[in-house]
């Protein structure tokens, strides 16, 4: 996976964190210090979940090596499809919870990182762990930046176009899954 692909993947996965942090900062009138804590928690969850998924995927690779590219594609397509579906349906992702307690921030961090767990499994099936770690760190850094941006936007009452952002993120994930599949089938180099 190239650096640009890693950035696109990271941006697609951190959309939920951006939206939740924006909404939380707006609704709770949180301080920047509290926003920094939220960004750290979200980035930690978005780093650990795909890493855990990659470990599972890497272990499973030996058992399903003949179809690992199909599984990676399926996971990315499923997560991307869900994001597109949610964008079209305009579902609420739970961002209205009270974020004054750190425990709630962790719950939101985990909730916004579930998709990255599935993506991590796909990465573990497709890549060596050294490469996965680079991608996972990129995801963590992008999530931190997106969450801090969300806090800044929320404190200034600037809305994030959640539906559009989720739709684009879903398309990016499906595109990355399709690329993995086509590379393994020899259609593209």
């Amino acid at each position: 996976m190239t650096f640009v692909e890693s950035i696109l993947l990271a941006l697609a996965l951190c959309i939920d964190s951006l939206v939740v942090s924006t909404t939380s900062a707006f609704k709770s009138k949180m301080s920047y210090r509290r926003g920094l804590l939220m960004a750290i928690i979200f980035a930690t969850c978005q780093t650990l979940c795909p890493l855990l998924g990659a470990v599972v995927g890497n272990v499973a690779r030996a058992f399903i090596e003949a179809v690992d590219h199909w599984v990676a594609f399926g996971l990315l397509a499923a997560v991307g499809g869900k994001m597109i579906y949610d964008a079209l349906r305009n579902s609420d992702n739970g961002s209205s919870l009270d974020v004054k307690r750190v425990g709630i921030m962790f719950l939101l961090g985990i909730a916004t990182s579930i998709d990255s767990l599935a993506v991590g499994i796909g990465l573990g099936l497709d890549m060596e762990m050294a490469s996965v770690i680079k991608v996972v760190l990129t995801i963590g850094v992008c999530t931190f930046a997106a969450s801090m941006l969300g806090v800044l936007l929320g404190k200034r009452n600037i809305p994030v176009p959640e539906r559009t952002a989720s739709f684009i993120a879903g398309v990016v994930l499906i595109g990355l899954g399709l690329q993995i599949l086509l590379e393994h089938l020899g259609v593209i180099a």
Side-chain angles (χ1 to χ4, degrees), residues 3 39 71-72 109:
F3 181 68
V71 174

Side-chain angles (χ1 to χ4, degrees), residues 116-151:
S116 64
L117 180 69
V119 169
I121 293 171
L123 293 175
L125 290 170
D126 187 54
M127 302 166 61
E128 296 300 321
M129 284 306 288
S131 298
V132 168
I133 289 172
K134 292 176 187 174
V135 173
V136 165
L137 290 175
T138 303
I139 292 169
V141 169
C142 285
T143 301
F144 177 80
S147 298
M148 283 305 299
L149 175 63
V151 170

Side-chain angles (χ1 to χ4, degrees), residues 47-58 117 120-121 129 136:
T47 302
L48 294 178
C49 280
L51 185 59
L52 176 64
V55 169
V56 170
N58 199 277
L117 180 69
I121 293 171
M129 284 306 288
V136 165

Side-chain angles (χ1 to χ4, degrees), residues 63-76:
F63 301 106
I64 61 170
E65 195 165 4
V67 294
D68 62 351
H69 50 283
W70 286 102
V71 174
F73 166 71
L75 288 169
L76 288 168

Side-chain angles (χ1 to χ4, degrees), residues 25-167:
F26 173 72
K27 288 184 177 180
S28 71
K29 304 296 183 201
M30 73 172 59
S31 67
Y32 285 109
R33 184 175 175 194
R34 201 77 168 156
L36 177 64
L37 177 62
M38 178 186 285
I40 290 170
I41 290 170
F42 283 12
T44 300
C45 291
Q46 282 280 33
T47 302
L48 294 178
C49 280
L51 185 59
L52 176 64
V55 169
V56 170
N58 199 277
V59 169
R61 184 185 332 169
F63 301 106
I64 61 170
E65 195 165 4
V67 294
D68 62 351
H69 50 283
W70 286 102
V71 174
F73 166 71
L75 288 169
L76 288 168
V79 172
K82 181 189 174 299
M83 291 177 115
I84 291 170
Y85 175 76
D86 288 346
L88 295 175
R89 209 182 79 200
N90 198 20
S91 67
D92 184 13
N93 58 10
S95 56
S96 61
L97 292 174
D98 181 15
V99 292
K100 292 181 179 141
R101 296 185 12 228
V102 175
I104 297 296
M105 286 186 195
F106 271 107
L107 288 175
L108 288 171
I110 292 168
T112 58
S113 301
I114 296 300
D115 293 348
S116 64
L117 180 69
V119 169
I121 293 171
L123 293 175
L125 290 170
D126 187 54
M127 302 166 61
E128 296 300 321
M129 284 306 288
S131 298
V132 168
I133 289 172
K134 292 176 187 174
V135 173
V136 165
L137 290 175
T138 303
I139 292 169
V141 169
C142 285
T143 301
F144 177 80
S147 298
M148 283 305 299
L149 175 63
V151 170
L152 294 171
L153 293 173
K155 289 190 72 56
R156 289 182 172 72
N157 300 331
I158 301 171
V160 173
E162 179 181 3
R163 291 179 67 183
T164 304
S166 292
F167 186 85

